[in-house]
Amino acid sequence: MGVDFSDRDTFWMQRAIQLAELAAAQGEVPVGAVLVLEDEVIGEGHNRPISQQDPTAHAEMVALRAGAEKIGNYRLVNAMLYVTLEPCIMCAGAMVHARVKRVVYGASDPKAGAIVSRAKILDNSFLNHRVEYAGGLLAEQCGALLSRFFQARR
């Protein structure tokens, strides 16, 4: 049973893909993220751990920080995060702490995905906030970006 994504979901994921392409052009792993509140971008980012020498500078973290700064609150209640790759444990945890309403991701990450692939972080009953999630939106396009990037590095 697949998820029915809206046209707006697709629109925002296409922006996340543009950000992932920017990351690749800068020599970073091509992951992009867009944080949306009431159909307005409040934060966006792409992977930057290499350029910023910061292990926490994942696309999601960059977008969450920008969104919190824009609205003046670390609580991002009702915000939706669109990201080209299934989030890792760190990013999933940050979404819970920020009270993100929903995350939509493109490609699954069989090596480090923490939503469904390697762990199901967001399904833990001890969490004080539930983040809705859906994966697979434009997955082939998102996955192809990653494949091309890593093939070029080999």
Side-chain angles (χ1 to χ4, degrees), residues 116-134:
V116 298
S117 294
R118 300 299 293 171
K120 295 184 180 190
I121 298 299
L122 300 179
D123 291 337
N124 280 290
S125 61
F126 66 84
L127 296 175
N128 61 348
H129 174 72
R130 292 277 181 242
V131 177
E132 299 169 25
Y133 60 86

Side-chain angles (χ1 to χ4, degrees), residues 51-128:
S51 62
Q52 291 189 351
Q53 299 179 345
D54 178 357
T56 70
H58 289 194
E60 302 95 321
M61 300 296 282
V62 173
L64 292 172
R65 287 181 187 125
E69 186 173 336
K70 179 164 184 161
I71 68 168
N73 192 334
Y74 74 104
R75 298 279 195 230
L76 301 167
V77 177
N78 293 320
M80 300 203 300
L81 185 66
Y82 295 87
V83 60
T84 57
L85 182 65
E86 180 181 358
C88 71
I89 291 171
M90 173 183 68
C91 294
M95 287 184 277
V96 171
H97 288 296
R99 308 297 194 268
V100 168
K101 179 178 181 169
R102 179 177 180 233
V103 60
V104 175
Y105 62 91
S108 295
D109 184 353
K111 291 184 178 180
I115 307 301
V116 298
S117 294
R118 300 299 293 171
K120 295 184 180 190
I121 298 299
L122 300 179
D123 291 337
N124 280 290
S125 61
F126 66 84
L127 296 175
N128 61 348

